[in-house]
Amino acid sequence: MIEFANAGGAFYVDDGSVRLRIGGATRAGTAVTAQSLRLVSDIDGAIAATLALNSDVDISLSSGTHQLTLSGEFAGGTTGSTAIEVIVLPRRPEIPAGMKQAAGSRVKVPVVLVTYLPTKDGTTLDTDIASYTVRPWGGNVLSNVYAWIETLFVRKTFMLTEMSRFRGYKNSADPYLGYEVVDHIVIYGAFPTIPYPPDTSRRIFDYAGVMDQIGGKTLVEDEGVKEIWLSTYYAGDDVILWESNMASLATGDISNSDRRNTDLPVYEKTYVVYGMNYHRTQAEAVHNHGHQIEAMLDYLDLRDNGQRDIFWHSYVGAPNFPSSVTLDQTACGWTHTPPYTNDNYGYLSAGETQSSCEDWRPDGSGARKAISGAYIQALGYAWPSGTPPQHRESNFYIWWGQNMPGLNNSIPYNGTTMANWWQLMNNWDESVASGTRLYR
């Protein structure tokens, strides 16, 4: 008989490097010495390694569920074998085409996606950690959860790219931005938290620790990564994961967070970390970006003339912002409220309004047309993976972005025209350094 000292059921690893402990061999209860040992995987075939009884062996395996068979030859021509199952989970899975830069887009936006999938057995989601009961993937098999996450982020990539296609709901304009996930790092455990400094009874995602773990400085400064997308489970209201969080030498933290400048490491280039739990849909994932867009455009508007007259007051149509976000319902609305309602999160409202959003001009002179939820829902965007949940809300975010001044717009303003807002936000450091305005 020959044995693995760590046999006794399947175990899993998540980086392909496996350390096995080979035990001893006995015949009729007496220890024997092996003349030769051989290790074979049913996936990878024979594994070339120096093998010896009562010793460790380090091997490298591809992703998958392996049946490892250890066999030996012993004195007297006897043989023996034993087997163990090893699950190797992919740390960096293949990135699907739907997360790559879209054809025709002018500027690539490199993104790193970091997913936390806690598991005890390498097969199922650990619901003691990921305990939230909303689970749109059906069942808790890791492969189902991952398939949902992949669908979610393919849709998010599509939405963000499509938003930068100026008035793309009615023309064939190319998108200005082409979002691309350049790396997907999957961690099969709980996401790290630390005490939240303003209130240590709560905890916050360990932003600095994770950026260090994934080599954030190299990603941002050398590889040009602009955004980190966190894909996590919902950990409860006492654990803080900001919808967006920025680190910037140029401006400090301009984001939808508490805007502390010490939670993220600051590099030579600006980057934004977006939080998202995969119990939700692409709508919430892009909702987070909507608030970041609002924060950045508000900063540029205020910096230029100390007023919020272009973005919040005119484009959004909230003339009393920040004291009130009540809309006059003649413009485009904001992330929480489309123009056909004044209800917070009123995407499904049956209201209708006469809005100039599709011909928006800062002076309010654009032509108005009837805009309703039914109109927004009927927009024929080419959704990947079929019509998504929260379809109307998701369509609204795309339409909202497509009406912002984009590439080659000719929207008039005070004897000039509006700038390409997507270029300003994507080139944040350059925009701030050069004093670029929302208009040319």
Side-chain angles (χ1 to χ4, degrees):
M1 176 181 178
I2 189 171
E3 64 182 16
F4 284 114
N6 52 353
F11 67 98
Y12 79 96
V13 295
D14 65 3
D15 63 0
S17 298
V18 181
R19 170 165 288 186
L20 298 174
R21 176 69 182 175
I22 300 176
T26 59
R27 184 171 60 233
T30 301
V32 294
T33 301
Q35 294 178 333
S36 66
L37 294 172
R38 186 167 184 260
L39 184 61
V40 175
S41 160
D42 62 342
I43 297 176
D44 291 345
I47 296 170
T50 302
L51 305 174
L53 297 177
N54 299 304
S55 67
D56 293 332
V57 57
D58 294 318
I59 60 176
S60 180
L61 299 174
S62 57
S63 298
T65 301
H66 296 255
Q67 188 79 8
L68 293 179
T69 301
L70 178 67
S71 57
E73 295 183 0
F74 306 94
T78 59
T79 61
S81 66
T82 190
I84 189 173
E85 185 178 273
V86 177
I87 301 170
V88 179
L89 299 172
R91 175 68 65 87
R92 281 183 159 87
E94 184 177 353
I95 297 167
M99 294 186 201
K100 302 287 188 178
Q101 181 180 0
S105 56
R106 301 298 184 92
V107 177
K108 177 178 173 179
V109 183
V111 175
V112 170
L113 175 60
V114 182
T115 293
Y116 290 86
L117 282 176
T119 181
K120 293 177 181 177
D121 58 10
T123 301
T124 58
L125 187 70
D126 183 355
T127 54
D128 290 338
I129 296 174
S131 59
Y132 194 56
T133 56
V134 177
R135 297 169 190 157
W137 46 81
N140 287 311
V141 178
L142 283 186
S143 58
N144 290 352
V145 184
Y146 183 79
W148 166 251
I149 290 169
E150 186 174 276
T151 297
L152 191 161
F153 284 97
V154 165
R155 287 172 174 158
K156 175 175 179 173
T157 302
F158 164 76
M159 288 178 70
L160 293 173
T161 295
E162 192 75 2
M163 286 170 71
S164 72
R165 201 157 66 89
F166 181 55
R167 293 180 179 160
Y169 50 83
K170 65 178 181 181
N171 61 38
S172 58
D174 289 333
Y176 181 71
L177 301 179
Y179 280 79
E180 177 166 335
V181 176
V182 296
D183 196 5
H184 186 184
I185 303 168
V186 183
I187 299 169
Y188 297 92
F191 64 76
T193 62
I194 57 175
Y196 179 48
D199 179 4
T200 54
S201 68
R202 305 179 71 193
R203 298 188 69 80
I204 187 170
F205 185 89
D206 183 6
Y207 288 95
V210 169
M211 290 304 294
D212 182 64
Q213 179 185 3
I214 67 174
K217 184 176 176 66
T218 297
L219 291 173
V220 172
E221 293 186 351
D222 299 337
E223 299 179 23
V225 169
K226 295 287 185 80
E227 299 182 6
I228 309 295
W229 295 353
L230 300 176
S231 169
T232 75
Y233 50 90
Y234 175 66
D237 292 339
D238 289 335
V239 178
I240 297 168
L241 180 64
W242 300 121
E243 290 182 327
S244 66
N245 195 6
M246 176 192 276
S248 176
L249 272 177
T251 59
D253 185 356
I254 307 298
S255 71
N256 191 30
S257 70
D258 62 355
R259 300 196 178 187
R260 287 183 303 120
N261 289 305
T262 55
D263 55 351
L264 276 169
V266 178
Y267 305 137
E268 292 297 320
K269 298 179 182 178
T270 294
Y271 66 99
V272 181
V273 179
Y274 290 92
M276 170 62 193
N277 81 68
Y278 44 70
H279 301 273
R280 309 299 290 273
T281 79
Q282 75 292 327
E284 286 84 10
V286 174
H287 184 106
N288 297 355
H289 280 254
H291 287 313
Q292 181 63 27
I293 290 168
E294 290 161 355
M296 296 170 82
L297 293 177
D298 183 51
Y299 176 90
L300 294 176
D301 206 4
L302 275 173
R303 184 200 61 175
D304 185 43
N305 59 12
Q307 300 183 56
R308 292 181 160 99
D309 55 337
I310 294 179
F311 177 68
W312 277 104
H313 296 171
S314 179
Y315 185 80
V316 171
N320 297 314
F321 183 85
S323 61
S324 168
V325 290
T326 300
L327 302 179
D328 62 18
Q329 295 187 261
T330 63
C332 299
W334 66 299
T335 301
H336 277 212
T337 311
Y340 51 84
T341 182
N342 254 306
D343 294 337
N344 213 18
Y345 306 105
Y347 314 106
L348 299 180
S349 168
E352 181 177 280
T353 189
Q354 292 292 318
S355 167
S356 65
C357 188
E358 294 193 356
D359 186 35
W360 175 76
R361 303 178 184 200
D363 64 2
S365 65
R368 298 184 184 184
K369 65 178 287 185
I371 299 295
S372 65
Y375 171 79
I376 295 295
Q377 186 159 332
L379 294 171
Y381 297 123
W383 281 99
S385 307
T387 302
Q390 295 172 254
H391 180 209
R392 182 182 296 186
E393 178 183 351
S394 301
N395 270 15
F396 164 65
Y397 297 138
I398 297 174
W399 177 85
W400 183 71
Q402 288 186 339
N403 284 305
M404 290 180 183
L407 180 67
N408 297 327
N409 82 83
S410 57
I411 298 171
Y413 179 72
N414 284 356
T416 182
T417 56
M418 302 304 296
N420 177 357
W421 289 2
W422 299 106
Q423 182 179 27
L424 301 186
M425 290 184 286
N426 187 60
N427 295 337
W428 188 249
D429 295 331
E430 179 183 328
S431 298
V432 172
S434 64
T436 305
R437 304 168 298 191
L438 297 182
Y439 51 92
R440 295 183 178 92

